[in-house]
Amino acid sequence: MNKLLIAAMMMAALSACSQEAKQETKEAATAVASDVKDAAASAVDTVAPAVQEAASKVEDTAAKAASEVKDAAPAEAKPEEKPADASSAKVDGKAVFEASCKMCHGGTIPGAPVVGKNDDWAPRIKQGKETLHKHALEGFNTMPAKGGNTSLSDDEVKAAVDYMANQSGAKF
């Protein structure tokens, strides 16, 4: 960062220098800019493997969670007509919360109701379960649909909402 600032100051000084001094300053600024570019490329090369490893771990965890959800379902379950509440009960709302919702609803995003803070959730819970589900599925105010994780099923989103609300004073 300091090198970049120095390069900018050198470029500004060009207007006040003689032609020869201008050339020397330009060459020095170009060399500093090249050093900054090389340092940035090196930083990217250093960080990229860690990012790839983290992404791989997230994919592995998601696959494991999907497998556990799939394994938890009966092998020969017969399709039945059930209310929407029953289907969301099969999904582990806490697991969905931990994987997809905790980043915002764990207290890091201003305005997002924090799980466990009943005062944050009371006005939302008063609106009812269906409204909470609708807002989570379709998005509301600054929260995107499905919290930005469009790979979640509707039942997973509903289960996570029920979990968060129940941890914050609801009886869903």
Side-chain angles (χ1 to χ4, degrees), residues 14-171:
L14 282 175
S15 61
C17 296
S18 68
Q19 187 63 25
E20 184 177 303
K22 283 183 182 180
Q23 183 62 31
E24 290 174 7
T25 304
K26 184 177 179 182
E27 289 171 2
T30 302
V32 170
S34 178
D35 289 347
V36 169
K37 182 178 175 183
D38 292 344
S42 176
V44 168
D45 291 342
T46 302
V47 173
V51 170
Q52 288 176 342
E53 182 180 342
S56 177
K57 287 180 181 179
V58 168
E59 288 175 355
D60 292 345
T61 302
K64 182 180 176 186
S67 175
E68 289 173 2
V69 168
K70 185 178 178 182
D71 292 344
E76 294 187 30
K78 296 179 182 177
E80 297 177 28
E81 288 189 28
K82 294 184 180 180
D85 298 350
S87 62
S88 64
K90 293 179 184 177
V91 180
D92 183 0
K94 182 178 181 180
V96 176
F97 165 76
E98 292 289 336
S100 299
C101 309
K102 189 174 184 177
M103 179 57 112
C104 297
H105 292 284
T108 58
I109 303 296
V114 178
V115 173
K117 288 194 174 183
N118 294 14
D119 291 343
D120 285 2
W121 283 87
R124 293 162 174 88
I125 292 169
K126 284 181 185 175
Q127 294 177 11
K129 183 178 186 176
E130 304 311 318
T131 300
L132 282 173
H133 287 172
K134 182 178 190 281
H135 288 169
L137 291 168
E138 297 174 6
F140 186 74
N141 290 335
T142 58
M143 181 179 144
K146 295 185 177 184
N149 186 350
T150 57
S151 67
L152 292 174
S153 71
D154 289 359
D155 288 340
E156 289 172 319
V157 173
K158 290 176 183 178
V161 168
D162 291 351
Y163 169 79
M164 290 188 287
N166 288 339
Q167 294 298 308
S168 305
K171 304 280 188 241

